[in-house]
Amino acid sequence: MKILGYTSPARGHLFPLIPILTELRDRGHLVSVRTLAGSVDVVRSLGLSAHAVDPRIEAIEHDDFTARSAVGAVKRSTATFVKRSEFESSDLASAISSDRPELLLIDTNCWGAAAVAEASGLPWASWLPYPAPFPGKGIPPFGPGFAPAGNRQGRLRDAVLGRLITTSVARTIRPPLNAVRASIGVPELRDTREVFTRPPLTLYLTAEPFEYHRVDWPASFRLVGPVSYDPPADPPPGLAEIDRPIVLVTTSSEFQDDARLVATTLTALEDEDVFVIATLPAGDPAGIDIPANAWVEHWIPHSALLPRAACVITHGGMGATQKALSHGVPVVAVPFGRDQLEVARRVEVSGAGVRLPLRRLTAARLRAAVREATARSGRAGELAQAMNSAGGAPKAADEIEQLAATWTAGPEATVPS
């Protein structure tokens, strides 16, 4: 079977897909990918066909880190996805024409590409690498990172603010997105939840109990557990000689001005009996005052560090957080924006780490949070067992093959030119 994957220009969305694609490749399928230009060579090095998405898509950058509230950040993010959707539609149509795939895998944030997939008549699936951003029974509204309601007051909060957030986001995205969908010839969206429920299959890259228990999952959703990938790179010289517990600090692979987390950590742990290793893939280590018990690098494979890590301090990205927890390493989550407030709250609720709000980030509080999180290694180990038993890439590949085997296309299916 010929499979075409299409991703948004974000490593945090490409990297979780890579183990699924290589699993499909190893099962004999022919796999090609359209993704961000800077990662094309990485994908090709794995024996997969890869090409860059339309550069106009990458030119539309996230500016959600400039928002003054969680709701404002959600609105800015969704507006970015809408702007990209117009270029995605023609880009994916061109890729379908050249590759002639028999199945499509579409990034959940690629709304124009999803509309083309819907129109194509081909079997298609989506993958969701961050907390499900739509309402559910007993689930707090997405964005602010609320704890699940435990009383009547909390349920009232969820009802009122959930309606406010949903209405506000819908006003931002529905009219322009439905205009794109109309140009492709697929039905308009009646509510924003449909953005995530239209795919015939959604591979949700997490598992309970890290994710909240829902009683009303869409029938198309499959929780397959976390899936992660590290680009190949040599571990730094001297890693084997480090004889202290390692504290790993991760920041976002997409710029969001989170270098402050690294600087605060270095100050907080300078006199502790640990060794700090921080990565700044979207930042610049130059100008950071680095103490003797620390390294700050642009990139180090996390998989080389996590087996020796006592704690991970993270910006709350779903990929980095779940990677740590799936290794049984407790987490301190300091969310800066995007889905990170939701991820950080799940860290707290799961009991496998500590949530430290950005507005409370100081060296003293971070030092205390690391000590508290390190004491929760037992719970992190329990969570790792649950995550790793969910199936991962092999389970995702099983679901994709099942979709292809049972697919029936509608008579109206067309691929836009």
Side-chain angles (χ1 to χ4, degrees):
M1 178 169 56
K2 295 178 70 175
I3 298 171
L4 172 61
Y6 192 90
T7 88
S8 61
R11 292 173 183 84
H13 285 235
L14 168 64
F15 287 174
L17 179 66
I18 284 178
I20 299 172
L21 297 181
T22 54
E23 175 72 22
L24 290 165
R25 176 206 61 195
D26 292 346
R27 296 185 182 194
H29 302 292
L30 299 176
V31 179
S32 59
V33 187
R34 295 297 192 277
T35 190
L36 67 162
S39 293
V40 165
D41 288 345
V42 170
V43 178
R44 288 176 177 171
S45 72
L46 299 170
L48 307 175
S49 174
H51 299 276
V53 296
D54 187 326
R56 294 175 294 180
I57 297 171
E58 287 203 56
I60 302 172
E61 298 180 350
H62 267 302
D63 62 356
D64 56 335
F65 62 90
T66 65
R68 297 183 178 181
S69 68
V71 176
V74 171
K75 290 176 68 174
R76 283 183 176 273
S77 291
T78 52
T80 297
F81 306 150
V82 171
K83 290 176 185 176
R84 290 174 175 171
S85 66
E86 179 180 355
F87 302 117
E88 291 167 2
S89 57
S90 59
D91 195 36
L92 178 59
S94 175
I96 292 173
S97 178
S98 63
D99 290 18
R100 296 296 175 188
E102 298 164 272
L103 183 141
L104 301 171
L105 294 174
I106 308 297
D107 189 327
T108 194
N109 284 352
C110 293
W111 297 345
V116 171
E118 190 174 335
S120 72
L122 296 169
W124 68 288
S126 179
W127 74 97
L128 178 60
Y130 57 84
F134 51 80
K137 293 180 180 178
I139 305 300
F142 180 85
F146 292 137
N151 52 36
R152 180 181 178 185
Q153 183 178 3
R155 290 188 290 273
L156 178 62
R157 174 208 66 191
D158 289 354
V160 173
L161 291 181
R163 190 177 305 113
L164 176 64
I165 293 170
T166 300
T167 300
S168 178
V169 172
R171 287 173 180 167
T172 301
I173 70 171
R174 277 181 57 199
L177 183 55
N178 278 335
V180 171
R181 291 178 63 85
S183 71
I184 294 168
V186 291
E188 70 175 21
L189 302 178
R190 294 165 295 178
D191 61 61
T192 54
R193 179 187 173 99
E194 285 188 89
V195 170
F196 303 98
T197 59
R198 296 291 292 189
L201 168 67
T202 294
L203 304 169
Y204 189 19
L205 307 186
T206 191
E208 296 181 9
F210 183 69
E211 175 57 292
Y212 303 142
H213 178 67
R214 290 191 187 226
V215 298
D216 56 351
W217 282 115
S220 57
F221 267 58
R222 302 290 186 274
L223 278 70
V224 301
V227 182
S228 63
Y229 168 78
D230 274 339
D234 294 329
L239 180 62
E241 282 69 49
I242 296 174
D243 58 1
R244 306 184 194 184
I246 289 175
V247 174
L248 171 62
V249 188
T250 75
T251 56
S252 179
S253 59
E254 310 301 322
F255 182 77
Q256 64 168 14
D257 201 20
D258 54 6
R260 173 185 168 191
L261 181 59
V262 172
T264 305
T265 300
L266 299 180
T267 300
L269 302 183
E270 181 176 8
D271 297 323
E272 297 289 293
D273 188 25
V274 299
F275 197 91
V276 178
I277 302 178
T279 59
L280 267 171
D284 185 1
I288 296 179
D289 187 13
I290 304 174
N293 69 331
W295 291 339
V296 179
E297 304 286 345
H298 177 70
W299 172 252
I300 300 174
H302 295 161
S303 57
L305 305 175
L306 287 171
R308 297 187 53 193
C311 181
V312 171
I313 301 172
T314 172
H315 61 291
M318 187 80 150
T321 301
Q322 290 199 133
K323 192 185 296 185
L325 293 174
S326 66
H327 279 77
V329 182
V331 168
V332 174
V334 184
F336 279 69
R338 298 172 188 161
D339 61 308
Q340 296 156 22
L341 283 82
E342 295 296 334
V343 174
R345 182 65 76 173
R346 284 162 173 77
V347 168
E348 178 184 73
V349 172
S350 72
V354 176
R355 177 184 66 96
L356 179 60
L358 179 60
R359 68 180 182 278
R360 293 179 54 80
L361 177 62
T362 65
R365 289 181 180 131
L366 184 57
R367 183 165 52 249
V370 169
R371 291 171 178 170
E372 182 179 350
T374 302
R376 299 185 180 184
S377 59
R379 177 55 180 159
E382 294 172 359
L383 205 61
Q385 290 183 342
M387 286 180 156
N388 296 329
S389 66
K395 174 62 174 175
D398 289 345
E399 295 290 349
I400 291 166
E401 290 179 330
Q402 177 67 14
L403 173 69
T406 59
W407 181 258
T408 302
E412 74 286 353
T414 59
V415 178
S417 59

